[in-house]
Amino acid sequence: MQKGADCVPSFENLYMIKRELKHGKRVYSMEYHFMKSAKGKNSYWDDDTHSMQLSFGVDEFLMIAPLSASGVVLDDPESTKLLSSVAIALSNCGSNWSAFVPVHDPSRKAYIGIQNLGTVFTRRFEADRIGSQVPIRLMHLEGLHELFLSKFVLSSTDFPARVKVHFSMKLTYRTPEYDYDNETLDSEATESLTENEVASHPKKQWDDDCPWAEWYSAEDPVKGFELTAIWGERTFEETLEMAEVENASSFDADSWFLHPVVSQYMVDDSIGKFVGFASQLHLLVNAYESSVEAQFLEDFVADTSGQDNSKSTTVPPPSVIDRVMKDLFSDEAGKSNYMEAENKYTRAMRGAPADSLFGQFCLHALWFGNCNIRAIAVLWIDFVREIRWCWEESERLPRMKSSSTIDLSSCLIHQKLQMLAICIERKKSLNREKGAGHKDETSNTTAITKTRKGSAGVVPKMMLLNTFQEMHAPYTQDAPLMTEDMHEERLHAAEAFGNAIGLSGQLERDILSSDMSAFKAANPDAVFEDFIRWHSPGDWVSEDKADGNSGWPPKGKLSQRMSEHGNVWRKIWNDAPPLPVSEQKSLLDPVREGEKVLHYLETLRPQQLLEQMVCTAFKSSADILNKTTYGGFKLMKTKMDQLYATMASTLKSLQGNSDISDLAGDLKRLCQVFEHIEKLLILAASVHRKLIDAPRLAQAVFADYFNYYLPKMGTTLESICYEKEFTTKEKVGMHERDAVSNLFPPPTANQSWRKVLSMGNLLNGHEPLQREIIFSVQERVSNGHYSSPTPLCTDDEQIQTHRMYISGTSNDLWVALSVTSWD
C-alpha cells in the first residue's frame, strides 16, 4: 500500500501495483495483486473474487506479460524462460507469491504459473480453453471427474478403490427473454389471421399498464435475472456419484443468489440518451428560453422559409394536430375529477392537474414534434380556437371539473378555463330560462304583497324590531367567482378607493344590494336596523341587561359608522327592491366574463404561456410517475418526495418574473434530477412486477441497485465518470425459491427444439448458462518436510496436492489446474 497500490475496479478487497521491466528489446509489465485480508477457505465463490484467485485458489499473485498488442507470450521457450527467471527471483527474495505468464493465443486465455512453497514444495499452474466442439464426455460431471483423476493417476487400472475428492459447484442460470406477444397471440392463433389482421394487433410492451404508457413506452430496464446456485464443499469417492449430483434439482443447492441484468441505458450516465418525461422537459425548457424572442405567439408561427428550417423549428403535419385536438376535446374525454397524487408540495408548484384540459395540453406539447417554441405556438393557437368554438356553441369544456369554485393554487390559465367552464354552464342556464321567463313574471305580479319569499329558515332568538315577527334568514347569491388576477385587481381597487364602510368598488355594492334585496323579500316588514343585526352584528350596539330579561323591543342602536349622515349602506338599503335570489340578476355576468377569458387566452404572451407550461408539465409528469406501483420501496418513495421538494423550490422562481437566463440553468439541472429519479422509478416498477411474490427480495434487489446508482445522481450538467460495474447479488431465502423459479417458465416447443445436448441440473427445463466446478484432493503430510511455513498447510497437517477449476457451457470449456509437487 505504501508503494502506491490502486484498488482494482469492481473489487472491494483487491489492490494492484504495476511496474514495467525492460529486458533487451522487450518490455514486460508486472502486476502484483494482493488483498488487505486473506480469503477464507470457502469464500472463492464470492463476488469479490478475481478470476485468477478463483481459478487457481490463490490469494495474491504476480502477473507478468509483454507490453504488446496481444499481451501474451507466444513463444514457448520464451514463456518458460521468463517464468523460471521470475521463480528464481521470488525464491531468492524468500517470497511465496504465485507468478503467472499468459501464453498462446489470447482467445484461449491460457496461463502457466509457479509458486515456491518453502524449499521443499513447488506448486505449478496451467490453464487452457476449448472454444468449440466440447467432447460430450466433458459436458457431464462424470467425465469431468474422470478428467481430474487422470491428472494424478496414470491409468484407470491405477485408480484406487476410493479417492476422496472434494467437490463444490456454482451454476448460473439466465432467465429467458420474455415474449409479451405470447400473452395475446399464440402461434396457432396468428396462423389463421391475414397480414392486415396481424398488423392490427400491436406488439404488447412490458409497461402497457404503467401510468406513463399513454405517453411513451420505456425500455424494460431489467432485461432478466441471473440466478446463481451454489453447492458447498462435498466429498465424493466414486465417479458414479457425480451422476446423482448432475440429476439433482437446483432446489438442493445450499445457496441461491439473484442478480438483475440491467439495461445499458440505466448504467450509461450520458445525459440525454434516455427518452422519457425528463428528455421532453429539457426540450420544453429550451423552448422557454426562446419565448423572449417575440412578443406574440403568432410571430413564431410566421413563415420560416427564408430562415434555417432545422429540426429545432419543425412542426408536425396538420393531421397530427387534428389528432391531438381530437384527443383533447373528444366527447370521450369527459369530466376530470383531478385525481392528483397526494403530496404536500403539489399545490406549491402552481400548475394545472395532470388530467385537466391545460394539463393534458402541456403533456401533449411535450411530445408534439420536438417540443420547440414554433410547434408549441401552432398547437396553442389551434387549442384556443377549439376553446372559442366551445364557448360560442355553449358546449361543455372537456376535462374540466364540474364545480362552482376556482382553484387559486393552480396556474392562471387553469383558473381561466375553470371560469370559462362555469360561464358556459351559466350561459346555458340563462338561455333555458329565457323561454319561461315571461310566464314567471306574469304569475309573480299576481302574488299577494307582503308575502314572504326566499326564506332559508328562522333565525334563532331574533325578532323583527317593529312587528315582533320571527326573523328569517334569506337565501343569498354566492360571492362571484374570481381568478387570481381578478383578486389582485380588487385588492388594488381597495387600496385606491377604500372608504370607512369597506366598499371598495362596484362589486361590493352589488353583493350588498343583492343580500339586502333577499333579506327584504324574506322579511317584508324588516327595517334597516334588522338587516344590520343579521348581516353585521358588530355594527349593532346592544343596551340590554346582561341577565337577558330585557323587554321588547330590544334596546340598542347602530354603530357610529352606520349612523353617520349619508351612510352608503342605508342608501343602498333604500334603493334595494325586495327580490328573492331566484328573481335577481346574477352577480356573475357569464357573457362578459367568458369573453374576458377568451381575450386573455388569445393575447397571452409567449413567456407567460411557457412559464405556466413549464410548471404544469413538471408537476403533471411527476404526478403521473407517482401513480406507479412499485411495491412501496422506501428508498424510492423518499426520492420521489425529494423530487417534489426540489421542483417546488425551483419552480417557485418562475412565479416571481425572474430573468430567464438565471432560471434556465436551474431548470436544466432539475431535468437532470428528474431523469435520474424517473429511471429509478421505472426500474423499481419492473423489479416489483417481476418479483411480486417475493416482496422482501424485490426491495433488497432494488436497494442494491439504488446504492450502486446513488453516486451517479449528481445535479451537475456534466456526465459522471463512474466505472464500477453493478455485480451485487442478493441471497434468496428458502421461502422465496418458488417465486424465483417462476422466473423460469418451462420452455415452449419453439424454444426447446434446439436443446439437443444438455449439461444436466435443469431448472424448469432450462440448463445453466455457465457451470463452474472445483475439484481438489488433499493429502496428509509431515511437518518434518518443511523448512519454512507454507500457507497451504492447514491445522490438521493436510496439503492440497491437486486442484482443478472448470468453467464451461455446452460449447465452451476452460480448465485451470494446480499441482503441488515434492521437489
Side-chain angles (χ1 to χ4, degrees):
M1 298 297 293
Q2 295 176 354
K3 296 293 183 179
D6 297 319
C7 182
V8 179
S10 301
F11 295 95
E12 296 180 0
N13 190 31
L14 187 64
Y15 295 82
M16 178 189 72
I17 188 164
K18 186 176 181 180
R19 292 289 185 270
E20 292 182 2
L21 175 67
K22 284 187 177 183
H23 178 69
K25 296 182 180 180
R26 301 299 297 269
V27 180
Y28 296 93
S29 170
M30 296 190 299
E31 297 179 354
Y32 172 54
H33 294 72
F34 65 97
M35 298 184 300
K36 280 188 175 180
S37 56
K39 280 192 167 294
K41 180 180 178 181
N42 299 316
S43 61
Y44 286 106
W45 296 128
D46 291 350
D47 292 335
D48 198 36
T49 301
H50 192 278
S51 60
M52 298 297 288
Q53 295 174 320
L54 174 62
S55 304
F56 299 104
V58 296
D59 287 341
E60 53 187 10
F61 58 93
L62 181 67
M63 181 71 69
I64 302 179
L67 285 176
S68 61
S70 64
V72 298
V73 180
L74 302 180
D75 182 53
D76 285 341
E78 180 188 6
S79 61
T80 304
K81 180 179 179 182
L82 178 62
L83 189 62
S84 299
S85 302
V86 173
I88 294 172
L90 293 175
S91 178
N92 291 339
C93 296
S95 172
N96 290 324
W97 293 357
S98 53
F100 296 91
V101 174
V103 294
H104 305 309
D105 185 84
S107 63
R108 289 170 61 174
K109 295 189 288 187
Y111 298 92
I112 59 173
I114 194 168
Q115 182 181 18
N116 295 318
L117 302 176
T119 59
V120 179
F121 289 91
T122 301
R123 196 177 183 190
R124 290 177 173 83
F125 308 100
E126 184 178 1
D128 208 343
R129 173 175 175 261
I130 302 176
S132 61
Q133 297 181 347
V134 177
I136 296 178
R137 180 177 66 89
L138 298 182
M139 289 175 57
H140 299 282
L141 293 182
E142 289 180 85
L144 295 173
H145 182 256
E146 291 177 356
L147 174 66
F148 174 64
L149 292 179
S150 69
K151 296 302 177 180
F152 57 90
V153 178
L154 296 179
S155 65
S156 59
T157 58
D158 294 327
F159 278 14
R162 293 180 181 274
V163 178
K164 289 186 177 181
V165 176
H166 298 271
F167 165 88
S168 64
M169 181 170 65
K170 173 183 175 182
L171 300 179
T172 302
Y173 299 87
R174 173 72 181 267
T175 55
E177 185 174 347
Y178 188 69
D179 186 3
Y180 293 93
D181 281 342
N182 285 339
E183 288 191 351
T184 53
L185 292 174
D186 54 32
S187 58
E188 295 181 359
T190 54
E191 288 178 0
S192 61
L193 298 177
T194 65
E195 291 184 5
N196 292 335
E197 289 174 325
V198 172
S200 65
H201 291 79
K203 181 177 176 65
K204 186 173 181 182
Q205 304 296 329
W206 77 275
D207 59 349
D208 278 349
D209 57 346
C210 292
W212 62 80
E214 181 182 354
W215 305 103
Y216 70 94
S217 179
E219 178 186 343
D220 193 342
V222 180
K223 293 301 183 183
F225 288 91
E226 285 187 358
L227 173 64
T228 301
I230 296 178
W231 276 259
E233 187 170 294
R234 291 165 167 77
T235 302
F236 297 102
E237 297 183 352
E238 295 182 355
T239 300
L240 293 178
E241 293 179 280
M242 291 288 101
E244 297 179 6
V245 176
E246 185 171 308
N247 294 325
S249 169
S250 298
F251 283 84
D252 295 336
D254 297 322
S255 304
W256 277 19
F257 295 90
L258 196 66
H259 168 70
V261 181
V262 180
S263 171
Q264 184 62 34
Y265 87 81
M266 285 293 299
V267 179
D268 191 350
D269 59 0
S270 298
I271 297 172
K273 290 189 176 181
F274 169 74
V275 177
F277 282 128
S279 62
Q280 305 311 113
L281 289 170
H282 193 276
L283 295 175
L284 182 62
V285 171
N286 292 338
Y288 169 62
E289 286 187 278
S290 304
S291 65
V292 295
E293 297 174 3
Q295 292 294 316
F296 304 100
L297 286 164
E298 288 77 7
D299 296 337
F300 291 108
V301 186
D303 184 22
T304 59
S305 57
Q307 304 175 14
D308 180 18
N309 193 20
S310 61
K311 184 179 179 182
S312 60
T313 59
T314 55
V315 177
S319 59
V320 178
I321 300 177
D322 293 341
R323 195 182 311 128
V324 173
M325 292 301 131
K326 183 178 180 181
D327 181 76
L328 287 171
F329 291 92
S330 65
D331 294 334
E332 290 78 11
K335 298 179 181 179
S336 171
N337 292 320
Y338 304 162
M339 298 300 291
E340 297 187 26
E342 295 182 4
N343 192 287
K344 62 182 178 180
Y345 297 104
T346 299
R347 299 179 69 84
M349 282 180 270
R350 302 301 303 275
D355 56 353
S356 68
L357 185 56
F358 183 60
Q360 289 289 298
F361 169 83
C362 293
L363 290 169
H364 272 289
L366 289 178
W367 305 94
F368 185 69
N370 61 336
C371 196
N372 61 76
I373 185 64
R374 184 165 177 250
I376 291 172
V378 169
L379 194 65
W380 175 257
I381 291 172
D382 271 73
F383 178 69
V384 175
R385 188 181 297 126
E386 290 292 330
I387 291 176
R388 176 165 282 284
W389 182 89
C390 291
W391 164 249
E392 292 176 350
E393 299 297 325
S394 297
E395 290 289 335
R396 177 185 58 83
L397 278 184
R399 304 182 186 276
M400 296 305 295
K401 197 172 185 178
S402 55
S403 172
S404 58
T405 59
I406 292 179
D407 183 8
L408 297 179
S409 68
S410 63
C411 65
L412 188 55
I413 292 177
H414 180 64
Q415 296 178 40
K416 293 292 185 182
L417 292 176
Q418 283 184 310
M419 173 68 82
L420 186 62
I422 294 169
C423 289
I424 290 175
E425 295 299 323
R426 297 280 177 90
K427 189 170 77 166
K428 289 168 65 175
S429 299
L430 290 176
N431 293 336
R432 286 194 298 265
E433 293 172 358
K434 284 183 178 179
H438 295 292
K439 181 178 179 180
D440 292 341
E441 291 175 3
T442 304
S443 62
N444 288 340
T445 56
T446 60
I448 302 174
T449 58
K450 297 297 183 176
T451 303
R452 193 185 301 275
K453 296 180 181 179
S455 171
V458 176
V459 181
K461 298 182 181 180
M462 291 193 73
M463 313 290 286
L464 299 180
L465 293 174
N466 292 348
T467 62
F468 199 61
Q469 296 176 353
E470 292 180 322
M471 181 185 292
H472 284 248
Y475 288 108
T476 58
Q477 291 196 52
D478 293 331
L481 298 172
M482 289 186 287
T483 56
E484 183 180 15
D485 58 336
M486 295 170 66
H487 278 284
E488 291 178 357
E489 291 176 4
R490 184 181 182 188
L491 180 61
H492 294 325
E495 293 174 351
F497 306 105
N499 52 51
I501 62 171
L503 298 181
S504 58
Q506 187 60 42
L507 178 61
E508 281 74 10
R509 289 180 171 84
D510 292 343
I511 296 174
L512 186 60
S513 176
S514 172
D515 291 346
M516 288 178 172
S517 293
F519 187 83
K520 283 184 176 181
N523 302 280
D525 296 323
V527 294
F528 178 64
E529 287 77 3
D530 290 320
F531 177 77
I532 294 299
R533 292 168 59 215
W534 170 72
H535 188 277
S536 182
D539 285 305
W540 175 257
V541 182
S542 177
E543 297 176 351
D544 288 335
K545 296 180 180 180
D547 57 8
N549 294 326
S550 303
W552 186 262
K555 295 180 181 181
K557 62 181 181 180
L558 295 174
S559 66
Q560 181 178 354
R561 71 167 188 157
M562 289 297 176
S563 57
E564 290 178 349
H565 179 69
N567 179 269
V568 178
W569 281 49
R570 185 177 290 276
K571 184 178 186 303
I572 296 174
W573 171 265
N574 294 335
D575 295 340
L579 292 174
V581 170
S582 59
E583 299 176 16
Q584 293 180 15
K585 179 183 177 181
S586 175
L587 291 173
L588 175 69
D589 185 342
V591 177
R592 182 181 72 241
E593 296 300 331
E595 287 294 339
K596 288 170 64 176
V597 170
L598 266 298
H599 176 74
Y600 169 82
L601 298 177
E602 291 169 342
T603 60
L604 192 61
R605 296 293 178 88
Q607 183 177 347
Q608 294 174 325
L609 171 62
L610 267 296
E611 283 177 353
Q612 298 181 63
M613 284 185 67
V614 167
C615 289
T616 298
F618 269 102
K619 173 182 175 298
S620 298
S621 300
D623 285 347
I624 290 173
L625 292 177
N626 206 25
K627 295 177 183 177
T628 304
T629 302
Y630 54 83
F633 299 161
K634 293 180 180 179
L635 293 172
M636 190 69 249
K637 186 178 185 305
T638 300
K639 275 298 172 187
M640 283 302 298
D641 290 341
Q642 291 176 358
L643 174 63
Y644 275 106
T646 305
M647 287 196 302
S649 61
T650 304
L651 298 177
K652 187 177 181 180
S653 302
L654 275 175
Q655 302 153 24
N657 298 320
S658 300
D659 184 58
I660 286 184
S661 59
D662 295 336
L663 289 172
D666 292 339
L667 290 173
K668 289 177 181 178
R669 280 186 286 273
L670 178 60
C671 290
Q672 182 64 25
V673 173
F674 199 105
E675 176 177 324
H676 287 308
I677 296 178
E678 184 175 10
K679 288 163 69 173
L680 280 176
L681 186 77
I682 295 173
L683 177 84
S686 180
V687 170
H688 167 67
R689 62 176 50 202
K690 290 177 174 63
L691 296 174
I692 194 168
D693 294 327
R696 184 216 62 90
L697 182 61
Q699 183 148 262
V701 168
F702 175 76
D704 289 338
Y705 189 82
F706 180 90
N707 293 327
Y708 158 80
Y709 192 82
L710 198 58
K712 291 173 173 284
M713 299 184 65
T715 57
T716 64
L717 296 178
E718 301 296 330
S719 296
I720 300 174
C721 183
Y722 189 66
E723 297 179 352
K724 185 177 179 181
E725 295 182 5
F726 177 61
T727 58
T728 307
K729 296 180 176 68
E730 190 63 36
K731 188 169 185 178
V732 180
M734 295 298 294
H735 63 287
E736 296 168 329
R737 291 192 177 187
D738 286 334
V740 172
S741 67
N742 292 334
L743 298 172
F744 298 84
T748 63
N750 290 335
Q751 294 171 332
S752 60
W753 68 270
R754 52 188 173 84
K755 301 290 184 182
V756 179
L757 301 176
S758 173
M759 299 187 297
N761 295 116
L762 300 181
L763 176 60
N764 291 347
H766 299 274
E767 68 176 7
L769 181 71
Q770 182 182 23
R771 177 172 60 191
E772 299 170 82
I773 301 167
I774 296 177
F775 290 117
S776 64
V777 171
Q778 297 180 357
E779 291 186 10
R780 189 176 298 278
V781 296
S782 170
N783 285 335
H785 293 303
Y786 294 93
S787 60
S788 64
T790 173
L792 296 180
C793 187
T794 57
D795 293 338
D796 58 357
E797 297 180 342
Q798 284 190 337
I799 189 170
Q800 190 180 74
T801 59
H802 293 77
R803 183 185 189 274
M804 179 180 285
Y805 167 78
I806 303 169
S807 173
T809 64
S810 57
N811 56 6
D812 185 274
L813 188 69
W814 193 76
V815 179
L817 178 66
S818 305
V819 178
T820 303
S821 61
W822 194 326
D823 296 339

